[in-house]
Amino acid sequence: MSASADIGDLSPLAGVASKAGAAHVICLGLSALDQVWRVDRLFAGQSEKIKATGYGTLGGGMAANASVAVARLGASVAFWGRAGSDAAGHEMKSSLSAEGVDVANFRLFPDGRSSVSGIIVDSSGERQIVNFRGLYSEAADWLPLDAVSLASAVLADPRWVEGAATLFGEARRRGIPTVLDGDMADAEVFERLLPLTDHAIFSEPALTSFAGSAKDESLAALARFGCRVVAVTRGEQGVSWHEGGRLQRQAAYAVDVVDTTGAGDVFHGAYALAIGVGLDVRTAMAFSAATAAMKCGHAGGRNGIPTINECLAFMRTKP
């Protein structure tokens, strides 16, 4: 099927585009500083030296990238997270603030160490990543939970389990939808967070690791946790999800891929916004797929994230 088939009603996004909407998303989890090398090919596995054709330092991290996506799409967004009070931490906080993200609850710990990633991207846009996840307190008792009442939706990745469980628990109490970025994590992390999750969207490696397979049947099996939606993103193969006892699929939008870094993060941010403004799941999936596809046409994890009007125009013109 074409990516634009049965897109659905996008009108709830009109308020975001016009700034008239009151959409607000809280994104909690990882912020990292990405050091990116561009190469002709990835490492083959053995000890070797590869010449880089380009290099840059960029802000990264799953929830942090998602927060930038929400901001670029025109909605209000806050990032809640942790870093060290070191050069990397201050650079990350400054770059998020420059994007229009509320960083009042992005805490820099004096005795902490920030998360830093090394990313190698080849000429086809595929990448290899090594990440130092950082060192800081796991405690989440400092989070301003009263602020959750202002959110249209909340999103968390699995890198700060205590924070995610605290945020999701409060959102559940207030009837605010929760979106989990299901990236690689230990099984006990998902066993704790999935019962608090309304919309769980896995990567294929993470679904394989947790459920034993990335096949569609695994999505139905995870319905036992009570999530409204369990999904897996499949890159150029689109996204599959289980909802209401049915398996559904959304094709990917065809683009000339330059760099897939951050595409999944952008997908999650767009999805949280879409659910927050009241889109049905199928339409939210299509909108998120389009936003992520547009990002893939540019180098860098955050470069190329479209505005909401750019994304809606892209969806109208793409077959």
Side-chain angles (χ1 to χ4, degrees):
M1 75 179 182
S2 69
S4 59
D6 301 320
I7 284 176
D9 181 15
L10 293 166
S11 61
L13 292 168
V16 178
S18 67
K19 301 293 185 181
H24 176 65
V25 178
I26 297 172
C27 298
L28 177 146
L30 178 66
S31 178
L33 196 66
D34 291 345
Q35 297 179 342
V36 183
W37 289 264
R38 299 196 65 83
V39 298
D40 291 328
R41 63 174 179 85
L42 301 177
F43 284 103
Q46 68 271 25
S47 177
E48 62 179 314
K49 182 183 290 186
I50 295 178
K51 182 179 179 180
T53 60
Y55 169 79
T57 300
L58 306 169
M62 291 171 286
N65 282 342
S67 72
V68 173
V70 176
R72 294 268 185 93
L73 290 167
S76 169
V77 60
F79 175 72
W80 293 5
R82 307 163 297 161
S85 185
D86 49 24
H90 287 283
E91 184 170 348
M92 289 187 284
K93 191 167 188 177
S94 176
S95 66
L96 287 174
S97 180
E99 291 281 0
V101 176
D102 179 349
V103 292
N105 293 292
F106 181 14
R107 177 169 286 192
L108 304 184
F109 290 85
D111 56 350
R113 295 181 64 193
S114 296
S115 178
V116 178
S117 295
I119 302 175
I120 300 172
V121 184
D122 72 9
S123 57
S124 71
E126 293 303 316
R127 76 270 195 257
Q128 295 174 330
I129 301 174
V130 58
N131 169 245
F132 172 69
R133 292 189 178 178
L135 294 172
Y136 15 65
S137 170
E138 179 71 8
D141 54 2
W142 54 272
L143 292 175
L145 296 182
D146 286 347
V148 177
S149 65
L150 303 175
S152 309
V154 302
L155 175 149
D157 65 42
R159 293 295 174 264
W160 182 16
V161 183
E162 196 63 37
T166 300
L167 174 61
F168 278 15
E170 184 66 20
R172 271 287 176 89
R173 284 188 286 274
R174 296 179 180 273
I176 296 166
T178 59
V179 179
L180 178 64
D181 182 340
D183 196 63
M184 292 293 296
D186 293 337
E188 53 264 32
V189 171
F190 290 124
E191 288 165 359
R192 182 175 182 189
L193 296 181
L194 286 173
L196 299 171
T197 299
D198 298 315
H199 304 260
I201 306 177
F202 287 85
S203 66
E204 286 187 292
L207 184 61
T208 300
S209 176
F210 180 58
S213 167
K215 294 181 179 179
D216 290 339
E217 292 79 3
S218 295
L219 301 176
L222 295 186
R224 69 184 187 275
F225 287 100
C227 304
R228 176 186 168 192
V229 173
V230 182
V232 57
T233 55
R234 303 189 184 279
E236 64 181 11
Q237 300 302 314
V239 58
S240 304
W241 72 95
H242 186 271
E243 176 191 13
R246 295 178 56 212
L247 179 69
Q248 302 185 62
R249 296 182 179 87
Q250 166 66 43
Y253 284 83
V255 294
D256 293 327
V257 174
V258 174
D259 186 354
T260 62
T261 303
D265 310 334
V266 171
F267 185 103
H268 285 85
Y271 185 85
L273 171 58
I275 291 299
V277 300
L279 265 62
D280 64 86
V281 172
R282 174 167 291 281
T283 308
M285 291 291 184
F287 173 70
S288 305
T291 307
M294 294 185 75
K295 180 254 110 32
C296 288
H298 298 77
R302 296 174 182 174
N303 294 334
I305 300 174
T307 67
I308 198 161
N309 284 327
E310 289 171 340
C311 187
L312 295 178
F314 174 84
M315 294 177 74
R316 287 193 294 267
T317 58
K318 273 288 181 179

